[in-house]
Amino acid sequence: MLPIRKTAAAAIGAAALAGALLAAAPAQAESASPAPAASKAAKSAPKGDGAKAICRRLPKAQTRVDTAIERLKGDPTVLGSVARLEQRVANAQSAGHTQVHAYLNDRLTFRKSLLPTLQKRQEDLKAVSAWCSAQDSK
């Protein structure tokens, strides 16, 4: 075998690199295209409504909603209660902290809106509980 010069070896290496890059370009283009049909099947729409899972998680959801309602209805000593936030809004107003008052008042408005939402959710959970019980008896 004849010895290969360094420049010839560099030329061969550059050609191999260029060939590898050209061969990889179509593969990269394919991966950037939309997902093939096989992966679309894995991400299909749900087949049911998840009723079994909802019934299984129902006691924990009811406890969470009940706890949140109890907290919101608490007195000023209860962290997270509407009454406590109302007291903080009044304190900020009496201290003349207008920006703090505005911020806390917006939070109070949102917190007050949570109570009817949670009470509606509590009613819905009671209805779901009755439905789950009826399904168990069948």
Side-chain angles (χ1 to χ4, degrees):
M1 271 183 27
L2 296 173
I4 299 177
R5 294 184 183 167
K6 290 182 182 179
T7 56
I12 293 172
L17 178 62
L21 290 175
L22 289 175
Q28 289 175 351
E30 289 174 10
S31 66
S33 65
S39 65
K40 283 184 183 179
K43 296 179 183 179
S44 64
K47 294 179 181 167
D49 60 359
K52 288 181 183 178
I54 290 171
C55 289
R56 187 177 58 245
R57 292 190 312 262
L58 188 65
K60 188 178 275 189
Q62 287 174 321
T63 302
R64 221 173 23 247
V65 169
D66 293 344
T67 303
I69 289 173
E70 185 179 327
R71 181 183 315 117
L72 287 172
K73 289 183 173 183
D75 63 8
T77 61
V78 177
L79 292 174
S81 69
V82 171
R84 183 178 182 95
L85 193 51
E86 285 173 338
Q87 182 63 47
R88 290 180 64 199
V89 168
N91 291 347
Q93 186 176 15
S94 66
H97 301 151
T98 55
Q99 289 82 8
V100 173
H101 174 264
Y103 171 71
L104 292 176
N105 201 33
D106 289 344
R107 284 183 57 195
L108 179 62
T109 301
F110 174 73
R111 193 168 293 176
K112 284 181 177 178
S113 73
L114 282 176
L115 194 56
T117 303
L118 289 172
Q119 288 169 334
K120 174 67 175 136
R121 188 167 296 162
Q122 190 177 40
E123 292 172 18
D124 292 344
L125 288 173
K126 285 179 184 175
V128 170
S129 176
W131 182 86
C132 289
S133 297
Q135 298 305 309
D136 287 342
S137 64
K138 287 185 180 181

